[in-house]
Amino acid sequence: MKGAGYRVLANDHNAFAHTLATCYVQADAERWAEPAARILAELQRLPPQAGWFTEAYCVAARYLTPENGAKAEAIRNAIAAMGAEPELEAILLTSLLEAADRVDSTAGLQMAYMKQWAARARNPLTLRLPALRPRPAAGACQAFCGEAEAVAATLDCDLAYLDPPYNQHSYLRNYHVWETLVRWDQPETYGIANKRLDCRTRLSAFNSRPGIGPALARTVAALRCPTLVVSFNDEGYLGRAALEAMLAARGHVQVIEIPYGRYVGAKIGIHSPKGVKVGTVGRLTNVEYLFVASERKLTLPRLQAA
């Protein structure tokens, strides 16, 4: 949206997601691309530095090889020592997150790691300059880091897009290693997956069957915009009819259905801690819904509109 010339306001309450948004939404290429590229080249040359992160996530758990973990740790320590401006720091951290993601040993989520090293995990961790966008003519973009309901009440916009969790699966638990890599707080961890202890305490109403409906309804009511798009799917706690009813007060409600392949873990099936397959693979696709609520009826793609 920023690349298309729109002024974008983004929000997420997880630190790693806020960092990504600060990089790609808020930071402008003409201001930061050149200095960031220079610093990333310097960071790439740092020797590995194994410490707490390497022990926790590369030895006790196996998300990255110890070699790549030690390289990531050296780079992260250097970024922490810079005291860089928030936008520049976000660009450097995004580069590190993406570099680590390219060589991790998971099936996509950090609920677990592979029993054997994934082939890509053997590749060296390499920093790249994120694909920054120039500031759009519409104005400066901004990234927020707060609870959806609270931030929604402070914004005025032409269109709002909401992508809430569908069910009990928390994005903090799914990407806890990236949260730690950004926060750099050496948290207490638990379980085989070495999740952050606050995965048990930083709970969201959107991950609760009884909580998601009221929380989403309050967020929708707080938004001041003529058009609202909500992404959900048919595996979520709220059914299509409930969401249509919730959005009806905003005017016309239309729904686009998009068949979509389920995440890699669902295709692999359920395994025990010893790697033995203990469950069967269910359906391999689900339906992604885009609910479009607007003051007037909009023209949507005819073949997909439901």
Side-chain angles (χ1 to χ4, degrees):
M1 296 293 283
K2 180 181 181 180
Y6 294 94
R7 180 171 182 254
V8 180
L9 308 174
N11 176 71
D12 196 292
H13 74 144
N14 286 317
F16 75 89
H18 176 244
T19 292
L20 293 169
T22 301
C23 171
Y24 285 115
V25 175
Q26 182 169 316
D28 298 323
E30 64 273 23
R31 171 68 180 89
W32 295 115
E34 186 177 333
R38 185 177 63 254
I39 295 170
L40 288 171
E42 295 171 358
L43 292 172
Q44 184 66 53
R45 291 192 289 268
L46 292 175
Q49 186 182 68
W52 181 90
F53 181 86
T54 306
E55 177 62 31
Y57 298 115
C58 311
V59 179
R62 289 158 48 94
Y63 294 100
L64 302 170
T65 63
E67 295 79 11
N68 280 332
K71 184 73 172 182
E73 189 153 7
I75 292 169
R76 185 62 184 91
N77 281 330
I79 294 172
M82 285 180 191
E85 295 178 63
E87 290 180 5
L88 176 58
E89 182 176 71
I91 294 168
L92 303 178
L93 288 176
T94 294
S95 179
L96 178 57
L97 285 173
E98 293 180 346
D101 186 61
R102 287 191 293 269
V103 296
D104 77 342
S105 190
T106 73
L109 304 179
Q110 294 163 354
M111 298 295 288
Y113 46 86
M114 307 298 284
K115 291 288 293 181
Q116 305 295 328
W117 290 112
R120 67 175 181 273
R122 301 290 187 183
N123 297 328
L125 183 140
T126 305
L127 299 174
R128 301 175 187 170
L129 178 67
L132 304 176
R133 300 284 186 174
R135 177 173 295 190
C141 302
Q142 190 171 358
F144 299 92
C145 187
E147 293 292 337
E149 182 181 349
V151 174
T154 69
L155 305 179
D156 287 285
C157 54
D158 297 316
L159 180 146
Y161 170 71
L162 301 180
D163 186 12
Y166 306 132
N167 48 34
Q168 76 276 14
H169 296 299
S170 158
Y171 293 124
L172 175 61
R173 291 194 293 270
N174 283 348
Y175 303 106
H176 63 94
V177 179
W178 300 160
E179 186 77 357
T180 296
L181 196 56
V182 166
R183 288 180 176 267
W184 209 232
D185 52 357
Q186 297 191 14
E188 187 177 347
T189 61
Y190 69 94
I192 296 174
N194 254 16
K195 295 187 185 72
R196 301 171 55 90
L197 193 61
D198 60 4
C199 287
R200 290 174 166 170
T201 57
R202 283 171 58 193
L203 305 177
S204 170
F206 288 94
N207 293 125
S208 161
R209 187 180 293 275
I212 187 172
L216 184 57
R218 290 192 301 268
T219 303
V220 166
L223 285 165
R224 298 189 296 270
C225 59
T227 303
L228 171 63
V229 179
V230 179
S231 174
F232 217 72
N233 79 13
D234 63 349
E235 292 186 320
Y237 283 152
L238 297 175
R240 173 173 171 167
L243 282 160
E244 288 185 87
M246 182 186 298
L247 298 171
R250 300 191 69 93
H252 294 275
V253 179
Q254 297 164 272
V255 185
I256 297 175
E257 293 186 355
I258 306 171
Y260 202 81
R262 297 183 74 210
Y263 67 100
V264 174
K267 299 175 182 179
I268 294 174
I270 302 169
H271 293 74
S272 72
K274 295 182 178 180
V276 178
K277 194 169 184 178
V278 296
T280 58
V281 176
R283 57 179 180 163
L284 298 179
T285 61
N286 56 25
V287 178
E288 295 287 339
Y289 294 124
L290 284 179
F291 296 86
V292 182
S294 53
E295 295 178 348
R296 59 181 177 83
K297 189 172 182 179
L298 304 176
T299 301
L300 299 176
R302 180 173 296 177
L303 293 179
Q304 291 180 308

